[in-house]
Amino acid sequence: LDVALKSGAQAIHPGYGFLSENSSFAAAVSDSDISFIGPPASAILAMGSKSHSKAIMEAAGVPCTPGYHEHDQDVERLLHE
């Protein structure tokens, strides 16, 4: 980000690796005068968690594969499910 600011860059595309999945980087770019070419930090953060992203999709009415999505991951509990 420092190099982009010093060079006068107007936008940053994070590529398809580490930076594209870094919500802190997306937020830092968005907080600067540089445009971030990609999803907002909140979307990167939400999609980084499979359980959180599935809850978002279910709340939006998107059909999802049924299954157990609770926090209790005890073996006996999972066998019961």
Side-chain angles (χ1 to χ4, degrees), residues 18-73:
F18 174 73
L19 290 178
S20 68
E21 299 173 4
N22 188 321
S23 61
S24 297
F25 179 71
V29 174
S30 296
D31 289 344
S32 73
D33 289 332
I34 298 175
S35 297
F36 183 75
I37 301 173
S42 59
I44 295 171
L45 191 60
M47 293 302 117
S49 165
K50 288 182 182 180
S51 61
H52 188 191
S53 61
K54 193 159 196 167
I56 291 169
M57 290 185 293
E58 288 174 338
V62 175
C64 295
T65 303
Y68 177 75
H69 307 293
E70 302 302 320
H71 294 288
D72 185 357
Q73 297 292 311

